């Protein structure tokens, strides 16, 4: 089988993959790349999972966008998914990303060649079944954290005779008009789709396990005059982005690691929002959260609460015991008939990040380390045992208060610096030291204990089987702090492999110019890797 060699192989063509590819094309002259995208087109979550009714961003659009590709023409403060998909396509076209992309192609394995200091990546086309093998000096995991749908473990799911939908894999052909619809889950996607489903369905039953905290969205359309000003006077758009950044980052001190005197004000505003929008006192009581605000994701909505005032919309809080052929059975023995069940149950975050079948130094298994060994990384970007592997939105880089795109840009800038450093020093690969990674993880977990996330159980807190439990999802600090700490890589925290850089552009022979050299790793670290 003929092999090709590239400077960088990117797995995933979503927000992260487009960011990395565009910046590589723009800032690393001569770098060749290939993008493997499992879906039929680029766009990531917004292409594959952003198709349910009411899907939109919960971060203001002017900051849910790349700093290097500002958009003066967002129609609304919180743009719908279709507009976001169009924006991503526009950015991809601007940087000619299509020439690097291989869509409908799934990476089946990536193995580190310790002699050549290269990643050997095997991929398979989803339609034709054709297998391809490429070599790359750098491997970027840009699969994202919100990709793999999470289904609840409920007995009898397969017995249901009606249609089953998941918010993360919406069926365009689904017709809910006049149907009895059961919605399982009350997270961010449910808050957006329930009001839309209620407009067409004859009956909607929302099954709630834990009520979310919800604050006003206050969405609005941008006036044409303001959009024109953003276009003709770019500094104004830049200032608006700065304003949004500051306001969003302040939310960390309102919600996550709160300033004590501010917390009661925020809680009062949220409870006032509920009491003003729900007319039935018993329904309002059921919708009232009893856990600390911010421990689970705080939602933004202006129309979710009022939906429960409608006569054909019901809120069910008895636990689900099973799914039957006819509908959903609750713990009180009642069966709620349904023609359609919508699972608005979110994503398997650990499964997403650890979905790549990657083998590193000494056969170290990436999936095992992500899913069973605590997902310990260094700033969520690199991992010991995996040279020249960079992760976008890796463990402990999730946010509950600001734009994840800014985090992606920080990670992209970091990996570009690593590539430049190897080029300038003539070295072939780098790998974070185990002691540096462990020290970072220890600081991160200690910091997380001071946040609101430590006050309840949520999808933020996974790996509970490990001693003491771990939050492997969230970044315990402001985005400003993450930017500052990743601004300049600490080269003393890495080991390097000497040797010439792998050769060539797309399609060049693999053997010529392949770098050789042993990773400068301590004997103790090497033995630990081989034991893994």
């Amino acid at each position: 089988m003929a092999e090709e060699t590239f400077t960088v192989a990117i797995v995933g063509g979503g927000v992260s993959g487009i960011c990395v590819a565009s910046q590589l094309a723009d800032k690393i002259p001569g770098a060749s790349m290939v993008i493997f995208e499992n879906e039929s087109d680029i766009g990531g979550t917004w292409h594959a999972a952003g198709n349910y009714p009411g899907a939109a961003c919960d971060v203001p659009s002017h900051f849910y966008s790349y700093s290097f590709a500002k958009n003066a023409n967002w129609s609304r403060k919180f743009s719908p998914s279709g507009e976001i998909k169009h924006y991503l396509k526009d950015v991809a076209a601007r940087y000619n990303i299509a020439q690097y992309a291989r869509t409908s192609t799934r990476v089946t394995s990536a193995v580190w060649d310790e002699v050549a200091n290269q990643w050997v990546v095997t991929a398979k086309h989803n339609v034709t079944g054709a297998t391809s093998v490429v070599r790359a000096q750098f491997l970027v995991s840009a699969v994202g954290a919100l990709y793999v749908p999470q289904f609840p473990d409920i007995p009898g799911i397969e017995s249901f005779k009606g249609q089953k939908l998941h918010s993360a894999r919406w069926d365009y052909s689904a017709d809910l008009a006049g149907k009895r619809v059961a919605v399982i889950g009350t997270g961010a996607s449910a808050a957006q789709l329930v009001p839309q489903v209620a407009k067409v369905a004859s009956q909607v039953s929302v099954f709630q396990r834990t009520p979310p905290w919800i604050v006003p969205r206050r969405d609005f359309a941008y006036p044409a005059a303001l959009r024109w000003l953003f276009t003709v006077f770019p500094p104004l758009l830049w200032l608006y982005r700065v304003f949004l950044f500051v306001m969003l980052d302040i939310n960390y001190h309102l919600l996550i690691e709160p300033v004590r005197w501010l917390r009661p004000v925020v809680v009062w505003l949220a409870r006032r929002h509920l009491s003003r929008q729900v007319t039935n006192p018993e329904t309002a009581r059921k919708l009232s959260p009893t856990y600390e605000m911010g421990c689970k994701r705080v939602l933004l909505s202006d129309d979710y609460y009022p939906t429960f005032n409608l006569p054909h919309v019901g809120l069910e809080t008895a636990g689900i015991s099973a799914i039957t052929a006819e509908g959903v059975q609750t713990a009180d023995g009642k069966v709620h008939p349904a023609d359609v069940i919508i699972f608005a149950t979110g994503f398997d975050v650990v499964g997403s990040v650890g979905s790549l079948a990657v083998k590193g130094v000494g056969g170290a298994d990436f999936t095992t380390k992500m899913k069973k060994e605590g997902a310990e990384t260094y700033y969520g970007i690199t991992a010991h045992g995996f040279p020249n592997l960079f992760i976008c939105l890796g463990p402990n880089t999730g946010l509950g208060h600001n734009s994840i795109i800014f985090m992606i840009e920080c990670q992209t800038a970091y990996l570009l610096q690593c590539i430049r450093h190897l080029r300038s020093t003539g070295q072939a690969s780098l790998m974070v030291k185990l002691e540096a990674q462990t020290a970072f993880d220890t600081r991160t977990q200690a910091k997380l204990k001071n946040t609101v996330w430590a006050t309840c159980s949520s999808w933020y807190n996974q790996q509970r089987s490990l001693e003491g439990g771990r939050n492997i999802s969230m970044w315990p600090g402001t985005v400003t702090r993450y930017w500052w700490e990743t601004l300049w890589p600490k080269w003393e925290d890495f080991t390097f492999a000497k040797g010439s850089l792998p050769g060539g552009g797309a399609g060049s022979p693999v053997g010529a110019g392949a770098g050789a050299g042993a990773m400068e790793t301590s004997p103790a670290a090497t033995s630990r890797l081989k034991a893994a």
Side-chain angles (χ1 to χ4, degrees):
M1 182 181 298
E3 295 182 351
E4 302 168 279
T5 189
F6 298 87
T7 309
V8 183
I10 302 170
V11 185
V15 175
S16 299
I18 292 171
C19 182
V20 172
S22 60
Q23 294 306 283
L24 275 169
D26 190 46
K27 297 181 178 179
I28 305 292
S32 57
M33 72 182 95
V34 60
I35 304 169
F36 295 104
E37 171 53 54
N38 185 57
E39 298 294 329
S40 60
D41 202 352
I42 60 175
T45 296
W46 293 105
H47 171 74
N51 303 309
Y52 60 84
C57 186
D58 59 2
V59 173
S61 300
H62 281 288
F63 203 63
Y64 191 80
S65 50
Y66 305 118
S67 63
F68 56 84
K70 300 178 185 66
N71 178 21
N73 289 304
W74 290 112
S75 65
R76 309 188 63 82
K77 183 179 180 182
F78 298 96
S79 295
S81 62
E83 195 170 346
I84 297 171
K85 283 190 279 189
H86 178 78
Y87 167 77
L88 293 173
K89 288 286 188 67
D90 181 68
V91 175
R94 192 181 312 179
Y95 290 91
N96 201 15
I97 301 301
Q99 66 175 315
Y100 314 117
R102 299 183 183 182
T103 57
S104 298
T105 303
R106 179 174 60 89
V107 170
T108 56
S109 70
V111 179
W112 177 248
D113 184 334
E114 298 182 46
V115 176
N117 286 306
Q118 291 177 319
W119 285 100
V120 181
V121 182
T122 304
K124 185 176 182 179
H125 196 275
N126 296 334
V127 179
T128 66
T131 298
S132 59
V133 178
V134 304
R135 286 177 173 262
Q137 184 188 5
F138 302 97
L139 177 65
V140 178
S141 170
V143 296
L146 304 181
Y147 176 70
V148 179
Q150 178 77 54
F151 282 90
D153 185 15
I154 302 174
I157 286 182
E158 297 304 321
S159 68
F160 181 62
K161 293 181 180 178
Q163 185 174 18
K164 296 190 291 287
L165 302 171
H166 195 290
S167 58
R169 288 294 184 274
W170 195 259
D171 183 352
Y172 284 107
S173 66
D175 182 9
L176 305 181
K179 301 290 182 62
R180 297 170 299 175
V181 180
V183 180
I184 299 176
T186 52
S189 57
Q192 293 179 348
L193 68 84
V194 165
Q196 302 304 314
V197 171
K199 292 178 180 179
V200 298
S202 63
Q203 177 185 315
V204 179
S205 300
V206 180
F207 293 84
Q208 172 186 279
R209 184 173 59 181
T210 306
W213 282 95
I214 300 179
V215 296
R217 189 176 184 84
R218 296 195 176 96
D219 191 17
F220 61 87
Y222 286 114
L226 182 59
R227 292 158 64 182
W228 177 79
L229 279 173
F230 284 152
T231 302
V232 300
F233 191 59
L236 181 62
L237 178 56
W238 180 85
L239 285 172
Y240 184 53
R241 278 180 56 93
V242 171
F243 167 75
L244 291 174
F245 171 77
V246 172
M247 296 304 295
L248 290 170
D249 231 20
I250 287 174
N251 283 338
Y252 182 82
H253 298 296
L254 294 177
L255 298 172
I256 313 304
E257 196 172 2
V259 177
R260 291 188 179 277
W261 65 270
L262 285 174
R263 169 50 66 93
V265 176
V266 181
V267 171
W268 176 79
L269 287 171
R271 294 203 182 279
R272 181 169 174 262
H273 182 54
L274 170 60
S275 63
R276 282 188 165 190
Q277 291 199 312
V278 179
T279 57
N280 186 304
E282 178 60 19
T283 302
R285 183 190 65 79
K286 291 180 179 179
L287 289 167
S288 298
T290 57
Y291 57 90
E292 193 74 18
M293 186 179 188
C295 182
K296 300 175 186 285
R297 185 173 178 178
V298 177
L299 310 183
L300 284 73
S301 178
D302 295 325
D303 56 1
Y304 179 71
Y305 282 151
T307 303
F308 292 98
N309 297 327
L310 301 175
H312 66 293
V313 178
L315 179 65
E316 308 297 335
T317 57
I320 298 174
S321 59
I323 292 177
T324 69
E326 289 74 33
V328 180
Q329 180 176 321
T330 47
D332 55 11
K334 182 180 179 182
V335 175
H336 304 264
D339 303 308
V340 180
I341 296 179
I342 298 175
F343 294 94
T345 47
F347 300 88
D348 177 5
V349 177
V350 180
S352 297
V353 177
S355 62
L356 291 182
V358 175
K359 300 288 186 180
V361 175
D365 184 74
F366 187 69
T367 300
T368 299
K369 290 189 177 296
M370 291 297 105
K371 291 187 175 182
K372 298 181 181 179
E373 297 178 6
E376 184 180 293
T377 64
Y378 183 73
Y379 285 102
I381 304 174
T382 61
H384 181 68
F386 302 91
N388 287 9
L389 170 66
F390 297 100
I391 312 164
C392 292
L393 300 184
N396 291 118
T397 62
L399 299 176
H401 68 287
N402 208 322
S403 174
I404 202 69
I405 289 185
F406 190 86
M407 298 290 278
I408 294 169
E409 288 199 51
C410 290
Q411 294 157 1
T412 299
Y414 192 93
L415 73 88
L416 292 183
Q417 288 192 69
C418 290
I419 293 175
R420 290 195 192 99
H421 184 77
L422 292 185
R423 284 189 161 196
S424 66
T425 59
Q427 300 182 94
S429 61
L430 81 172
M431 181 175 71
V432 66
K433 296 176 181 177
L434 181 60
E435 54 267 31
Q437 176 176 287
T438 301
F440 167 76
D441 184 74
T442 300
R443 292 194 307 271
T444 299
Q445 294 301 319
K447 181 74 172 173
L448 282 162
K449 295 185 187 308
N450 297 322
T451 67
V452 70
W453 295 316
T455 64
C456 76
S457 177
S458 73
W459 70 268
Y460 297 150
N461 298 305
Q462 303 198 32
Q463 300 286 341
R464 283 292 183 183
S465 60
L466 296 175
E467 185 178 353
R470 288 169 56 83
N471 181 332
I472 65 169
S473 302
M474 311 306 286
W475 168 247
T478 61
V479 172
T480 303
R481 186 164 76 87
Y482 188 83
W483 166 78
W484 180 255
E485 291 191 20
T486 59
L487 189 57
W488 299 285
K490 302 178 181 69
W491 303 121
E492 64 273 17
D493 287 348
F494 292 87
T495 55
F496 297 85
K498 298 177 180 178
S500 59
L501 299 181
S508 63
V510 171
M519 182 67 67
E520 298 173 351
T521 310
S522 68
T526 301
S527 65
R528 280 192 291 270
L529 283 170
K530 291 184 175 179

